[in-house]
Short mmCIF file of all heavy atoms in Angstrom, two decimals:
data_model
loop_
_atom_site.label_atom_id
_atom_site.label_comp_id
_atom_site.label_asym_id
_atom_site.label_seq_id
_atom_site.Cartn_x
_atom_site.Cartn_y
_atom_site.Cartn_z
N HIS A 1 124.92 7.09 42.18
CA HIS A 1 125.48 5.92 41.52
C HIS A 1 125.76 4.80 42.51
O HIS A 1 126.10 5.04 43.66
CB HIS A 1 126.78 6.29 40.78
CG HIS A 1 126.54 7.16 39.59
ND1 HIS A 1 126.53 8.53 39.66
CD2 HIS A 1 126.31 6.84 38.29
CE1 HIS A 1 126.32 9.03 38.46
NE2 HIS A 1 126.18 8.04 37.61
N ALA A 2 125.63 3.59 42.03
CA ALA A 2 125.85 2.43 42.89
C ALA A 2 127.31 2.37 43.33
O ALA A 2 128.22 2.73 42.58
CB ALA A 2 125.48 1.15 42.15
N ASP A 3 127.51 1.88 44.57
CA ASP A 3 128.86 1.78 45.10
C ASP A 3 129.75 0.88 44.26
O ASP A 3 130.98 1.01 44.27
CB ASP A 3 128.82 1.27 46.54
CG ASP A 3 128.29 2.31 47.51
OD1 ASP A 3 128.23 3.50 47.14
OD2 ASP A 3 127.93 1.92 48.62
N SER A 4 129.16 -0.05 43.49
CA SER A 4 129.95 -0.99 42.71
C SER A 4 130.77 -0.31 41.62
O SER A 4 131.69 -0.91 41.07
CB SER A 4 129.04 -2.05 42.09
OG SER A 4 128.10 -1.44 41.23
N GLN A 5 130.45 0.94 41.29
CA GLN A 5 131.20 1.66 40.27
C GLN A 5 132.53 2.18 40.80
O GLN A 5 133.39 2.59 40.01
CB GLN A 5 130.39 2.84 39.74
CG GLN A 5 129.18 2.43 38.92
CD GLN A 5 128.53 3.65 38.32
OE1 GLN A 5 127.49 4.08 38.80
NE2 GLN A 5 129.14 4.21 37.29
N TYR A 6 132.71 2.21 42.11
CA TYR A 6 133.86 2.86 42.71
C TYR A 6 134.59 1.91 43.65
O TYR A 6 134.01 0.96 44.16
CB TYR A 6 133.42 4.11 43.50
CG TYR A 6 132.58 5.06 42.67
CD1 TYR A 6 131.20 5.10 42.81
CD2 TYR A 6 133.18 5.89 41.73
CE1 TYR A 6 130.43 5.96 42.05
CE2 TYR A 6 132.42 6.76 40.96
CZ TYR A 6 131.04 6.79 41.12
OH TYR A 6 130.29 7.64 40.36
N VAL A 7 135.85 2.18 43.88
CA VAL A 7 136.63 1.33 44.78
C VAL A 7 136.33 1.63 46.25
O VAL A 7 136.69 0.85 47.12
CB VAL A 7 138.14 1.47 44.51
CG1 VAL A 7 138.47 0.99 43.10
CG2 VAL A 7 138.62 2.91 44.71
N PHE A 8 135.72 2.79 46.53
CA PHE A 8 135.22 3.12 47.87
C PHE A 8 134.07 4.09 47.72
O PHE A 8 133.80 4.57 46.61
CB PHE A 8 136.32 3.70 48.77
CG PHE A 8 137.09 4.84 48.17
CD1 PHE A 8 136.59 6.14 48.17
CD2 PHE A 8 138.33 4.62 47.60
CE1 PHE A 8 137.29 7.18 47.62
CE2 PHE A 8 139.06 5.66 47.03
CZ PHE A 8 138.53 6.94 47.04
N SER A 9 133.38 4.38 48.80
CA SER A 9 132.21 5.26 48.74
C SER A 9 132.61 6.64 48.19
O SER A 9 133.67 7.17 48.53
CB SER A 9 131.60 5.42 50.13
OG SER A 9 131.12 4.19 50.60
N VAL A 10 131.75 7.20 47.36
CA VAL A 10 132.03 8.50 46.75
C VAL A 10 132.05 9.58 47.83
O VAL A 10 131.12 9.69 48.63
CB VAL A 10 130.95 8.84 45.71
CG1 VAL A 10 131.21 10.21 45.10
CG2 VAL A 10 130.90 7.78 44.63
N PRO A 11 133.12 10.39 47.90
CA PRO A 11 133.16 11.46 48.91
C PRO A 11 131.98 12.41 48.76
O PRO A 11 131.50 12.68 47.66
CB PRO A 11 134.49 12.18 48.61
CG PRO A 11 135.31 11.17 47.89
CD PRO A 11 134.34 10.35 47.09
N ALA A 12 131.53 12.92 49.89
CA ALA A 12 130.41 13.86 49.88
C ALA A 12 130.84 15.18 49.24
O ALA A 12 132.01 15.55 49.25
CB ALA A 12 129.93 14.11 51.30
N LEU A 13 129.87 15.87 48.68
CA LEU A 13 130.11 17.16 48.05
C LEU A 13 129.92 18.27 49.09
O LEU A 13 128.92 18.29 49.81
CB LEU A 13 129.12 17.36 46.89
CG LEU A 13 129.14 18.71 46.17
CD1 LEU A 13 130.46 18.89 45.43
CD2 LEU A 13 127.96 18.79 45.19
N THR A 14 130.86 19.21 49.15
CA THR A 14 130.74 20.35 50.05
C THR A 14 129.86 21.41 49.40
O THR A 14 130.06 21.78 48.24
CB THR A 14 132.12 20.95 50.35
OG1 THR A 14 132.92 19.97 51.00
CG2 THR A 14 132.00 22.17 51.24
N THR A 15 128.89 21.92 50.15
CA THR A 15 128.01 22.96 49.65
C THR A 15 127.86 24.06 50.69
O THR A 15 128.07 23.85 51.89
CB THR A 15 126.61 22.41 49.32
OG1 THR A 15 125.99 21.93 50.52
CG2 THR A 15 126.69 21.28 48.31
N VAL A 16 127.49 25.25 50.20
CA VAL A 16 127.22 26.40 51.07
C VAL A 16 125.82 26.90 50.75
O VAL A 16 125.44 27.00 49.57
CB VAL A 16 128.26 27.52 50.83
CG1 VAL A 16 127.94 28.74 51.69
CG2 VAL A 16 129.67 27.02 51.14
N PRO A 17 125.01 27.21 51.76
CA PRO A 17 123.66 27.71 51.49
C PRO A 17 123.68 29.04 50.74
O PRO A 17 124.63 29.82 50.85
CB PRO A 17 123.06 27.90 52.90
CG PRO A 17 123.91 27.09 53.80
CD PRO A 17 125.28 27.07 53.21
N VAL A 18 122.65 29.28 49.99
CA VAL A 18 122.44 30.56 49.33
C VAL A 18 121.35 31.30 50.09
O VAL A 18 120.24 30.77 50.26
CB VAL A 18 122.04 30.38 47.85
CG1 VAL A 18 121.72 31.73 47.21
CG2 VAL A 18 123.15 29.66 47.09
N GLU A 19 121.65 32.48 50.57
CA GLU A 19 120.70 33.22 51.40
C GLU A 19 119.42 33.51 50.62
O GLU A 19 119.44 33.93 49.46
CB GLU A 19 121.32 34.53 51.89
CG GLU A 19 120.47 35.27 52.89
CD GLU A 19 121.21 36.44 53.51
OE1 GLU A 19 122.19 36.19 54.24
OE2 GLU A 19 120.81 37.59 53.26
N GLY A 20 118.26 33.27 51.28
CA GLY A 20 116.97 33.53 50.66
C GLY A 20 116.54 32.49 49.66
O GLY A 20 115.60 32.72 48.89
N SER A 21 117.20 31.33 49.64
CA SER A 21 116.90 30.30 48.65
C SER A 21 117.06 28.93 49.28
O SER A 21 117.77 28.76 50.28
CB SER A 21 117.85 30.43 47.45
OG SER A 21 117.73 29.33 46.57
N ASP A 22 116.40 27.94 48.71
CA ASP A 22 116.63 26.57 49.14
C ASP A 22 117.71 25.90 48.29
O ASP A 22 118.00 24.72 48.46
CB ASP A 22 115.34 25.75 49.10
CG ASP A 22 114.71 25.69 47.70
OD1 ASP A 22 115.26 26.32 46.76
OD2 ASP A 22 113.69 25.03 47.56
N LYS A 23 118.32 26.67 47.40
CA LYS A 23 119.40 26.15 46.56
C LYS A 23 120.71 26.15 47.34
O LYS A 23 120.91 26.92 48.28
CB LYS A 23 119.57 27.01 45.31
CG LYS A 23 118.33 27.09 44.43
CD LYS A 23 118.04 25.75 43.76
CE LYS A 23 116.91 25.88 42.74
NZ LYS A 23 116.61 24.58 42.10
N LEU A 24 121.63 25.28 46.92
CA LEU A 24 122.95 25.18 47.54
C LEU A 24 124.02 25.49 46.51
O LEU A 24 123.88 25.17 45.32
CB LEU A 24 123.16 23.77 48.11
CG LEU A 24 122.21 23.33 49.22
CD1 LEU A 24 122.41 21.85 49.53
CD2 LEU A 24 122.42 24.16 50.48
N PHE A 25 125.10 26.09 46.98
CA PHE A 25 126.24 26.42 46.13
C PHE A 25 127.30 25.34 46.30
O PHE A 25 127.88 25.19 47.37
CB PHE A 25 126.81 27.78 46.55
CG PHE A 25 127.95 28.29 45.70
CD1 PHE A 25 127.71 29.11 44.62
CD2 PHE A 25 129.27 27.95 46.00
CE1 PHE A 25 128.75 29.59 43.83
CE2 PHE A 25 130.31 28.42 45.22
CZ PHE A 25 130.07 29.24 44.14
N PRO A 26 127.55 24.52 45.26
CA PRO A 26 128.55 23.46 45.38
C PRO A 26 129.96 24.04 45.26
O PRO A 26 130.25 24.78 44.31
CB PRO A 26 128.22 22.53 44.21
CG PRO A 26 127.58 23.41 43.20
CD PRO A 26 126.87 24.51 43.94
#
């Protein structure tokens, strides 16, 4: 989403890798 929707930049999402996959666990 564009920064104009928020009063400051949206915080990053923390993720953890899933073993044997390219998917991430949020």
Side-chain angles (χ1 to χ4, degrees):
H1 290 90
D3 288 344
S4 61
Q5 291 186 255
Y6 307 102
V7 297
F8 51 81
S9 297
V10 178
L13 175 67
T14 298
T15 64
V16 177
V18 176
E19 188 171 293
S21 171
D22 59 358
K23 300 291 187 181
L24 298 171
F25 184 92

